[in-house]
Amino acid sequence: MPAAPAHERLLLALAALAVLLTRLPWIGTGYGSDPDGYRVVIAARQIVRTGQYQASRLPGYPVYEYLTTLTAWSPPWVSNALTALSSVAAFVFFALIARAFGVRRYALLALAFAMTPVIYISSCCTIDYMPALAAQLAATYAVLRGRPVLAGMLLGIAVGCRITAGALALPLCLWMLLNGESRSALRQCLAFGVTLLAVCVLCFMPVWHRYGTDFFAFYDNGWYPPLDVVFGRALPLVWGVLGVAALAALLCALPFYYEYSRRALALARTRHALWLAAGAVVLYLIAYLRLPDEAGYLVPAVPFVLLGIALLTPPWAAGTLAAALLLSSWVG
């Protein structure tokens, strides 16, 4: 993939600055509306006070919990600012991924990703969604650049932030197998897998030392919410009312761009990219439906949904969706 021209790099840098500025008005209003943010801060303060690891909740989020120790006694805006910066990193890596796949208006699509309601809200509070997603997207870009060891390290860090980030390993391995000669692809998968496992073990060593085998547990709500709540968290709380309307309109307009989609699917690289995107979306959707307590559980699926749409639809359709998502956090 050729390097981006200077004017594109400048445009991406200005867009990244704009993304950061949209977060700043909200980072000083406490640690956020999710009680888990306060649990992280309490755990971080306990780690600083005692020198021993303390999980905010099991199975542990050690990388993010230790990162929060750096700001444990600072005002909330400091730890929120770290989250905002990680959202900027996620924006940049998503833009690079979209560019690598030939998405024409990749900067606009990346801005729409950054302003999607669940991403925007998660970017302004002390919570692990965005640091994990930034590392996941960085790992994805490393795989696209043929750097499996670096990808394994980055995804391992993402798992240390949020253990469910590891689900992305399967789609990434599938991409490597589909796009390389069999022996070379297997070596890449092995290097990626071994590095990922080693980094995960290192990240979770403090959790293992503190809790033993009991660390691999999670809060399981015995009450499954009604379907309207499940759909509400998966649709309006993720995409916003305007975003859901735009997605529905895009689906209804399928007959108008069916031929475009058919031609796109004729390209092997596009098909393989769609396997990658679909694999990530399906895995995180299954995880969400298993325990649909928060819309944030679908954060890792958002960039891959947008990538799949951008690859399958003409620029006017993807651009219309992007415009709707840019407004979706404010309208409705």
Side-chain angles (χ1 to χ4, degrees):
M1 181 184 64
H7 72 277
E8 286 191 24
R9 294 197 296 271
L10 177 60
L11 176 64
L12 191 60
L14 291 174
L17 177 61
V19 168
L20 180 61
L21 291 176
T22 63
R23 273 67 175 157
L24 296 185
W26 312 108
I27 63 173
T29 55
Y31 293 110
S33 61
D34 192 330
D36 287 343
Y38 294 83
R39 294 186 180 104
V40 168
V41 174
I42 291 169
R45 290 177 177 177
Q46 185 72 3
I47 293 170
V48 172
R49 186 182 296 114
T50 66
Q52 296 181 336
Y53 175 76
Q54 174 73 41
S56 57
R57 67 265 193 226
L58 295 177
Y61 303 76
V63 169
Y64 188 66
E65 288 155 347
Y66 275 112
L67 178 64
T68 309
T69 62
L70 302 176
T71 62
W73 301 102
S74 302
W77 71 264
V78 180
S79 57
N80 293 345
L82 291 178
T83 309
L85 288 171
S86 68
S87 75
V88 174
F91 159 79
V92 171
F93 282 113
F94 180 64
L96 293 173
I97 291 166
R99 181 180 181 272
F101 283 124
V103 175
R104 271 193 262 179
R105 297 173 182 168
Y106 67 89
L108 177 62
L109 186 74
L111 282 172
F113 154 73
M115 295 307 297
T116 299
V118 74
I119 301 295
Y120 189 27
I121 292 170
S122 300
S123 302
C124 305
C125 53
T126 302
I127 199 69
D128 43 70
Y129 293 128
M130 295 315 300
L133 181 61
Q136 286 176 285
L137 293 175
T140 302
Y141 186 63
V143 166
L144 298 183
R145 297 301 301 267
R147 305 285 297 277
V149 173
L150 177 60
M153 293 174 60
L154 290 167
L155 191 58
I157 293 170
V159 172
C161 289
R162 191 168 185 85
I163 199 167
T164 52
L168 188 60
L170 293 177
L172 291 180
C173 284
L174 178 60
W175 167 264
M176 287 185 274
L177 292 172
L178 289 173
N179 287 275
E181 185 271 328
S182 57
R183 288 188 178 180
S184 173
L186 286 173
R187 284 196 296 270
Q188 285 190 335
C189 286
L190 182 61
F192 169 73
V194 169
T195 308
L196 170 61
L197 181 61
V199 174
C200 288
V201 169
L202 286 174
C203 288
F204 277 87
M205 283 286 287
V207 193
W208 178 275
H209 184 264
R210 174 69 173 79
Y211 297 99
T213 57
D214 293 335
F215 89 90
F216 197 71
F218 64 96
Y219 172 71
D220 193 2
N221 190 348
W223 176 78
Y224 199 86
L227 288 181
D228 62 323
V229 175
V230 175
F231 281 104
R233 289 171 179 166
L235 292 173
L237 290 185
V238 172
W239 303 101
V241 174
L242 191 60
V244 171
L247 287 169
L250 205 62
L251 184 62
C252 293
L254 177 60
F256 296 101
Y257 56 81
Y258 172 77
E259 284 300 321
Y260 182 97
S261 301
R262 192 173 63 82
R263 289 194 300 271
L265 287 171
L267 302 174
R269 185 173 175 83
T270 300
R271 291 198 305 273
H272 298 167
L274 288 171
W275 277 112
L276 166 62
V281 171
V282 168
L283 287 173
Y284 286 109
L285 183 59
I286 291 172
Y288 168 76
L289 292 175
R290 168 66 180 82
L291 189 65
D293 281 352
E294 295 184 25
Y297 295 167
L298 289 170
V299 160
V302 170
F304 294 101
V305 170
L306 294 177
L307 179 62
I309 290 173
L311 291 172
L312 277 178
T313 62
W316 64 263
T320 301
L321 174 63
L325 290 175
L326 285 172
L327 299 173
S328 192
S329 290
W330 313 98
V331 178

